[in-house]
Amino acid sequence: MSQRARVSKRRRLQPRRGVPGEASCRAHLEPLLLFCEDDQVTLCRKCFLAQEHGSHVVRGVHEAAEKYRKLFRELLSTLKQKLEAAKSLLAEEQENMGLVQAEEQNFKEMLKSEYKMMIRLVTEENAMNFQNLQGYPFNPHLREAGLSPQMKFTAELEEKYQETLQRLNSLGRENMSKLHESEVRLYEQIISLHSVTAELEKKCGEPSLVLLKVRVQKEPSLQSGVSLLCQGLEPARITDPSLCQRPGLSEVLELFQRPITLDPKTAHPCLVLSEDLRSVRLRNVQQDVPGNPEIFDFGASVLGVESFTSGRHYWEVDVEKTTSWQLGIYEDSAARLMPKASEGKILLMGARMGTKYTLWVFPPLKGMYLEEQMHKVGVFLDYKYGQISFYDVTKRFLIYNFSDLVFKGALRPIFSLCFPNEGTNSDSLSICLPDVFVV
């Protein structure tokens, strides 16, 4: 072979000047200017003319690369949104750890307060009964017979108290375990999201041929990103402490039951009181009522006639025929003739939304879980010891109590019905009369 022929052959075998080795076709030594989307490979002009790519979708390298950059950017944007959502959920779960512990402690304190109150009531009742026997000949058997029921009641109450404490402790440990597991899971997702988003950002900045070198459909960062998007971001399913039924309502409370009467002078114009002033219902058209500074203007509320400045008092209210209601105590004050919506009140609120029921207590406003509709609610006030308790009369357990309150004035029962959003509303509340009224 002549010298000229050998030089010509070497030139044909060498890549063209200005075309990098990786940017040229190994088979034809031509620039890789095209991309076959069906086979996910780069092509030179001669490869494109081959029969195997004749029916395939072929684009220019830069056009194909820009298409995949757009795909990566869209995925990147979605992953960044999920990353922020994961960080936000992690912060909420970490905050919930403190809230769950505080809520558990609050229920324990509430339970302890209720237990002490019940013991106090039974002890005082027994002491009063024993005092009534003074002047009669001393009979140790009679005294023992009087103490025996108290001791039995106290022992039963202590047992229920300890059982409920154990349930709360167990529930607290279970909730914290769920929150810790959620925290670890979210940390792992955040680390993975950081890693994949960094890789995708790097891919978006690569030259077209480098970007297309790896088969895009099998690109690890793309597959990882899609996989991360499929993973759900769900908070831990914690159990509300209010699900632990708390023993509370006792026959002792019924000794303090009062026949509460509604005060027409304080009734909202949308409320209609029964003739015996024991029931109240809501109607949509306001009545023409003369101006009265004692009428509540912040909602469909009415006060009880009774005013308490001392002692213990208990009353029951039938709420079965209403979807949204409020019950509680209003602190009457001569300096507050037109009360504000949230001033001087302690409330239990119930609402039905579709098939679900929810309870709130106030203040502060706190939601509580409720499995089914309330039928009858009991309200107990101990003025001296600053305690207000709410009970589910049907199931005979404590809903919530407020303790260590300081009252400065007369307290009156308050009853409210909520205005309907639309249409008619036949909601009504009824105050239950005691079987036997004890003065």
Side-chain angles (χ1 to χ4, degrees):
M1 183 182 296
S2 67
Q3 179 69 19
R4 181 178 295 179
R6 285 197 294 271
V7 171
S8 178
K9 184 177 181 181
R10 279 200 302 272
R11 285 178 179 173
R12 289 198 306 269
L13 293 173
Q14 291 174 352
R16 293 186 181 182
R17 185 172 295 179
V19 181
E22 62 179 10
S24 62
C25 176
R26 292 186 179 182
H28 305 113
L29 302 179
E30 293 279 339
L32 296 170
L33 303 177
L34 303 170
F35 183 75
C36 176
E37 293 200 354
D38 293 73
D39 293 337
Q40 293 282 295
V41 294
T42 50
L43 307 172
C44 70
R45 180 179 55 84
K46 290 182 179 179
C47 291
F48 171 64
L49 295 174
Q51 186 178 0
E52 59 184 297
H53 298 292
S55 61
H56 293 177
V57 177
V58 178
R59 302 177 186 275
V61 166
H62 296 297
E63 181 187 357
E66 192 55 37
K67 174 188 174 183
Y68 288 113
R69 284 194 188 96
K70 183 180 179 182
L71 173 66
F72 288 156
R73 290 190 190 105
E74 290 175 353
L75 179 60
L76 185 59
S77 175
T78 307
L79 287 172
K80 284 183 176 180
Q81 290 177 16
K82 185 162 187 176
L83 176 59
E84 292 306 311
K87 289 179 179 178
S88 177
L89 183 56
L90 176 62
E92 289 177 10
E93 294 292 74
Q94 290 172 336
E95 182 182 2
N96 281 341
M97 290 182 185
L99 293 175
V100 164
Q101 289 176 324
E103 190 69 10
E104 179 188 346
Q105 185 60 34
N106 178 60
F107 270 92
K108 287 180 180 178
E109 292 295 329
M110 185 176 70
L111 194 65
K112 181 179 179 181
S113 171
E114 189 72 13
Y115 171 74
K116 288 170 63 177
M117 182 197 73
M118 287 295 178
I119 294 297
R120 183 167 60 243
L121 291 179
V122 173
T123 302
E124 290 181 9
E125 182 198 8
N126 192 75
M128 186 177 298
N129 291 338
F130 182 72
Q131 187 175 3
N132 291 336
L133 294 176
Q134 298 298 319
Y136 290 91
F138 178 72
N139 187 334
H141 298 292
L142 186 61
R143 179 177 182 179
E144 183 179 348
L147 289 174
S148 181
Q150 178 194 352
M151 294 174 64
K152 181 180 179 181
F153 176 84
T154 303
E156 290 176 350
L157 192 61
E158 173 70 21
E159 183 180 357
K160 291 179 180 178
Y161 170 67
Q162 293 300 333
E163 287 176 355
T164 308
L165 273 184
Q166 290 176 7
R167 287 199 299 271
L168 280 171
N169 287 331
S170 176
L171 183 60
R173 288 192 297 270
E174 181 183 326
N175 283 337
M176 290 304 295
S177 176
K178 289 178 179 178
L179 285 167
H180 281 302
E181 289 174 3
S182 176
E183 182 184 34
V184 171
R185 185 171 58 254
L186 286 167
Y187 265 125
E188 291 175 348
Q189 285 183 294
I190 288 171
I191 291 171
S192 298
L193 285 164
H194 270 301
S195 175
V196 173
T197 52
E199 186 62 29
L200 284 172
E201 285 177 338
K202 179 181 176 183
K203 295 295 291 183
C204 289
E206 289 179 343
S208 297
L209 282 175
V210 177
L211 178 64
L212 297 173
K213 184 178 180 182
V214 179
R215 290 176 177 249
V216 178
Q217 293 177 348
K218 295 184 178 180
E219 168 61 39
S221 57
L222 181 63
Q223 292 180 327
S224 299
V226 173
S227 176
L228 284 170
L229 286 179
C230 293
Q231 294 179 15
L233 289 177
E234 300 220 356
R237 296 178 179 272
I238 59 176
T239 306
D240 196 311
S242 61
L243 282 175
C244 279
Q245 289 195 1
R246 299 162 296 283
L249 189 57
S250 165
E251 293 178 358
V252 177
L253 292 180
E254 295 172 359
L255 297 174
F256 303 98
Q257 189 167 357
R258 300 288 182 257
I260 302 297
T261 305
L262 299 174
D263 184 357
K265 294 187 298 181
T266 63
H268 188 278
C270 279
L271 294 178
V272 179
L273 307 187
S274 61
E275 290 185 7
D276 62 359
L277 301 179
R278 304 289 183 196
S279 300
V280 56
R281 65 180 176 85
L282 187 67
R283 74 177 186 181
N284 298 321
V285 181
Q286 292 198 6
Q287 305 170 69
D288 293 328
V289 178
N292 190 326
E294 295 184 14
I295 292 177
F296 282 19
D297 66 347
F298 59 81
S301 300
V302 59
L303 295 178
V305 171
E306 290 72 18
S307 180
F308 308 121
T309 56
S310 62
R312 297 179 176 120
H313 313 274
Y314 174 74
W315 58 96
E316 295 178 354
V317 185
D318 189 333
V319 297
E320 189 172 7
K321 294 179 181 179
T322 178
T323 56
S324 301
W325 47 268
Q326 296 179 350
L327 301 174
I329 295 291
Y330 173 72
E331 187 169 9
D332 207 357
S333 172
R336 187 172 56 239
L337 294 178
M338 292 298 289
K340 296 179 181 178
S342 60
E343 191 174 348
K345 294 193 296 182
I346 294 176
L347 299 171
L348 173 70
M349 297 170 274
R352 182 176 68 195
M353 300 176 184
T355 58
K356 295 184 179 180
Y357 298 89
T358 309
L359 286 179
W360 290 272
V361 290
F362 175 87
L365 187 64
K366 181 186 299 183
M368 301 182 67
Y369 182 83
L370 185 64
E371 290 183 306
E372 56 188 40
Q373 184 180 16
M374 278 285 181
H375 298 290
K376 194 181 291 186
V377 176
V379 185
F380 176 74
L381 164 67
D382 189 328
Y383 195 101
K384 178 181 177 181
Y385 288 94
Q387 183 153 338
I388 296 173
S389 302
F390 297 97
Y391 302 91
D392 183 326
V393 176
T394 306
K395 295 183 177 179
R396 304 189 70 80
F397 75 83
L398 173 70
I399 299 171
Y400 200 85
N401 74 12
F402 296 87
S403 58
D404 301 321
L405 302 173
V406 177
F407 303 126
K408 297 179 181 179
L411 304 179
R412 299 174 70 179
I414 184 171
F415 311 85
S416 300
L417 292 170
C418 296
F419 296 115
N421 292 327
E422 56 184 13
T424 59
N425 191 311
S426 58
D427 284 6
S428 65
L429 292 173
S430 298
I431 300 170
C432 306
L433 287 173
D435 294 332
V436 177
F437 175 50
V438 181
V439 181

